[in-house]
Amino acid sequence: MVGLSGQSRGWSSLCRLYLRCTAVRPSTVQACHGLQSSLKNRRLLCLLSSSRLPVQAQIRLYSSNDTKDGDKSKESSDASSSNTSTAGVDATKVDQKITFPQDPIQVKVKAVLKKREYGSKYMKNNFITGVRAMNEFCLKPSDLEPLRKIRRRSPHDDTEAFTVYLRSDVEAKAIDVWGSPEAISREQKLRKEEEIAFKENSDRNQKLLKEYKTFLGYTKPRLSTSAMFTKGPGKVVMVAICINGLNFFFKLLAWVYTGSASMFSEAIHSLADTCNQALLVLGIAQSARTPDPGHPYGFTNMRYIASLISGVGIFMMGAGLSWYHGIMGLIHPQPIESLLWAYCILAGSVVSEGATLLVAVNEIRKSARVKGISFYQYVIQSRDPSTNVVLMEDAAAVLGVIMAASCMGLTSLTGNPFYDSLGSLGVGTLLGAVSAFLIYTNTESLIGKSIQPEQLQRLTELLESDPAVRAIHDVKATDMGMSKVRFKAEVDFDGRVVTRSYLEKQDIDQVLNEIQQVKSPEDLEAFMLKHGENIIDTLGAEVDRLEKELKQLNPEVRHVDLEIL
């Protein structure tokens, strides 16, 4: 009876276990399913010899082949937990069943160089010339001898490579010589004061020397700039000054003798021409001055400034006085004496002014032929402002003489001074037109006008056809006057061509050997720094080459600024 009661309690316990497994939550359905399948396959063994004996069960979990790896690991963990909670299970066998081989973990580490902070003002690697080292750091040539010397290419076309020093070496040497930065500052201030005192003494000595030469007689030969007035525009201006000065003198005598308003206008016209051409002489002399630190592009524009002032002088002195005298002749007409001497002087003026005009025309034709442009383009573009002024003034003088002679002839035939006053107004209007043209053309040149589109296209094509250039942008070509052009462009260089040009000058075997020795990021950095700096130098040499070719093929191009894009 006791065995039967224990057996009935064992089966009832097994039934309760079965019902619990079927009534669990969905998250544990898989485990219960394994239990059900175990029951169906009769894998569940129960020993119910007594009611106090524990229930022993062997549970096997099965899964389909399409289960994910993550689900397998979850099932394994669930099975291991159930086996540890069940008494009498062989732990070693379970561990053998649920242990899986694990793949080794591979971690890739990216080598990155440490970023260097250079600060807002970093001049450790800057180069400095020997002159600057001696001036700014108060050193002697002997102090620079033990320092490292570096040969760099010259930025000037006519200068070879020169020697520079590292600024850090120079600063360290200056501190070694003077002791401290404060001592260097004191020495710089002292030398500055000595320089100012020396300049004052030099100016005083120059003044005394000038006074001495004036007292004893100045026997120094003429300056080389005097040769400018024996040929070209200078010759034209000097001839015009002499002729217009004589014309003014004789026209003034004729006006005093006749009282003609037209003759007075012609005398004023000749005086204005003489003064303006004297101003042109000053402009030509000033334009020949060599560039200095205050005027790095020279004094070429002085010719345009002199021509502009000349145009304003013609308008105010010539046109203004002629209009005034003509209007006064209309308001208060006065009788005119014999015009015979006036006609003779006007005839001489036509001959002299015509000769000067012919000299100016021949000079402009010669210059226009050299530039390959027409006579009209040369005058309109104001290629030579000094010759332009002489040309326009002499042309106006010849036309003015003809106009004055015609009006004076009508006055002598009719006896009416009205025509003579009209002649004065006509000469004033002619001078006003000439002065307006001169003011306009010279103002355009001073503002900085562009060169002709054909010439600009030729320069652009020359740059774009070079293998080292991919494209050019923001092209600007300014006519600085006197056949001087300043060219500027943003150039996009082909880095592959520049690098190939650098490699053609290197020993390839040595470069390959250096590459094979690169084993660490530090080695790579040293390799790139060495060849990167040399490639930048090669790029600078390419810029110099292009600038030199532009100047050789286009002599008018004097200043070339190529900016790397």
Side-chain angles (χ1 to χ4, degrees), residues 348-540:
S349 297
V350 169
V351 174
S352 60
E353 297 286 359
T356 309
L357 179 62
L358 184 61
V359 172
V361 169
N362 290 334
E363 180 64 27
I364 291 178
R365 282 180 177 176
K366 185 189 301 183
S367 301
R369 194 181 304 112
V370 172
K371 302 299 180 184
I373 59 178
S374 63
F375 181 89
Y376 175 77
Q377 290 177 339
Y378 192 91
V379 174
I380 293 298
Q381 296 174 10
S382 188
R383 292 299 186 94
D384 187 354
S386 303
T387 310
N388 258 15
V389 171
V390 175
L391 174 70
M392 300 305 297
E393 287 182 349
D394 290 340
V398 172
L399 293 177
V401 168
I402 295 174
M403 187 181 299
S406 301
C407 292
M408 289 170 63
L410 290 175
T411 299
S412 62
L413 291 175
T414 60
N416 189 355
F418 175 77
Y419 296 103
D420 185 63
S421 299
L422 287 181
S424 180
L425 292 176
V427 172
T429 303
L430 182 62
L431 292 176
V434 170
S435 64
F437 175 78
L438 293 176
I439 291 173
Y440 172 75
T441 55
N442 288 285
T443 302
E444 286 289 315
S445 300
L446 288 173
I447 290 174
K449 61 183 178 181
S450 177
I451 62 177
Q452 295 300 310
E454 298 81 9
Q455 187 180 4
L456 182 61
Q457 181 66 22
R458 186 167 62 252
L459 295 174
T460 303
E461 291 176 353
L462 178 62
L463 278 179
E464 289 181 337
S465 62
D466 193 88
V469 177
R470 283 180 172 174
I472 60 174
H473 308 278
D474 194 21
V475 179
K476 293 183 177 67
T478 307
D479 188 356
M480 301 177 61
M482 299 304 301
S483 301
K484 293 183 180 179
V485 176
R486 181 179 180 182
F487 182 83
K488 176 261 178 185
E490 301 275 353
V491 183
D492 185 2
F493 283 90
D494 191 343
R496 296 168 298 180
V497 175
V498 176
T499 305
R500 189 175 291 110
S501 176
Y502 167 70
L503 291 176
E504 290 174 355
K505 303 174 184 178
Q506 303 299 317
D507 186 357
I508 300 300
D509 294 335
Q510 182 180 357
V511 175
L512 290 175
N513 187 23
E514 293 178 0
I515 294 175
Q516 293 174 358
Q517 294 178 359
V518 175
K519 303 299 182 180
S520 64
E522 290 75 13
D523 297 339
L524 178 62
E525 181 183 12
F527 176 80
M528 293 299 297
L529 290 178
K530 174 185 175 182
H531 292 280
E533 184 176 3
N534 295 335
I535 291 176
I536 294 299
D537 292 339
T538 304
L539 178 59

Side-chain angles (χ1 to χ4, degrees), residues 77-125:
S77 61
D78 294 338
S80 61
S81 62
S82 62
N83 289 334
T84 53
S85 62
T86 306
V89 180
D90 191 358
T92 58
K93 293 182 179 180
V94 174
D95 293 337
Q96 293 177 359
K97 291 181 181 180
I98 65 173
T99 301
F100 299 97
Q102 296 181 355
D103 295 334
I105 299 176
Q106 298 180 357
V107 180
K108 295 183 178 179
V109 180
K110 185 177 181 181
V112 180
L113 291 175
K114 183 180 179 181
K115 184 178 179 180
R116 302 191 179 185
E117 299 293 339
Y118 293 102
S120 59
K121 188 176 181 181
Y122 182 83
M123 294 187 293
K124 181 179 179 181
N125 296 330

Side-chain angles (χ1 to χ4, degrees), residues 222-239 284 363 366:
R222 294 182 180 180
L223 296 174
S224 59
T225 54
S226 61
M228 300 179 59
F229 299 103
T230 60
K231 59 182 179 179
K235 178 182 177 182
V236 175
V237 173
M238 293 302 296
V239 171
I284 292 174
E363 180 64 27
K366 185 189 301 183

Side-chain angles (χ1 to χ4, degrees), residues 48-200:
L48 304 173
S49 57
S50 173
S51 59
R52 297 185 181 273
L53 292 177
V55 179
Q56 298 180 0
Q58 183 180 3
I59 301 175
R60 293 184 181 180
L61 303 180
Y62 297 91
S63 61
S64 59
N65 294 330
D66 58 351
T67 308
K68 297 182 180 180
D69 296 336
D71 296 334
K72 289 180 180 180
S73 60
K74 184 177 180 180
E75 292 171 3
S76 301
S77 61
D78 294 338
S80 61
S81 62
S82 62
N83 289 334
T84 53
S85 62
T86 306
V89 180
D90 191 358
T92 58
K93 293 182 179 180
V94 174
D95 293 337
Q96 293 177 359
K97 291 181 181 180
I98 65 173
T99 301
F100 299 97
Q102 296 181 355
D103 295 334
I105 299 176
Q106 298 180 357
V107 180
K108 295 183 178 179
V109 180
K110 185 177 181 181
V112 180
L113 291 175
K114 183 180 179 181
K115 184 178 179 180
R116 302 191 179 185
E117 299 293 339
Y118 293 102
S120 59
K121 188 176 181 181
Y122 182 83
M123 294 187 293
K124 181 179 179 181
N125 296 330
N126 287 19
F127 293 142
I128 186 172
T129 61
V131 176
R132 285 191 59 191
M134 290 186 290
N135 291 338
E136 297 182 10
F137 294 93
C138 306
L139 296 177
K140 300 177 182 179
S142 58
D143 297 331
L144 301 178
E145 287 297 330
L147 301 182
R148 289 178 289 179
K149 300 177 180 61
I150 304 170
R151 297 287 290 176
R152 304 294 294 177
R153 63 182 183 86
S154 173
H156 307 288
D157 297 335
D158 55 349
T159 308
E160 297 180 355
F162 61 100
T163 303
V164 294
Y165 303 89
L166 279 174
R167 187 185 182 95
S168 57
D169 294 349
V170 174
E171 290 178 351
K173 185 64 177 180
I175 294 176
D176 186 29
V177 171
W178 296 102
S180 65
E182 292 76 11
I184 298 176
S185 300
R186 289 194 299 269
E187 183 65 22
Q188 290 175 347
K189 185 178 180 180
L190 180 61
R191 294 193 179 188
K192 188 66 175 178
E193 294 175 354
E194 292 178 354
E195 181 181 355
I196 294 175
F198 175 80
K199 188 175 180 180
E200 292 177 353

Side-chain angles (χ1 to χ4, degrees), residues 289-299:
R289 294 170 58 187
T290 56
D292 55 25
H295 306 83
Y297 290 103
F299 299 85

Side-chain angles (χ1 to χ4, degrees), residues 294-316:
H295 306 83
Y297 290 103
F299 299 85
T300 305
N301 286 337
M302 284 301 299
R303 294 197 183 192
Y304 292 97
I305 295 174
S307 300
L308 178 63
I309 298 174
S310 176
V312 175
I314 292 173
F315 183 81
M316 296 180 64

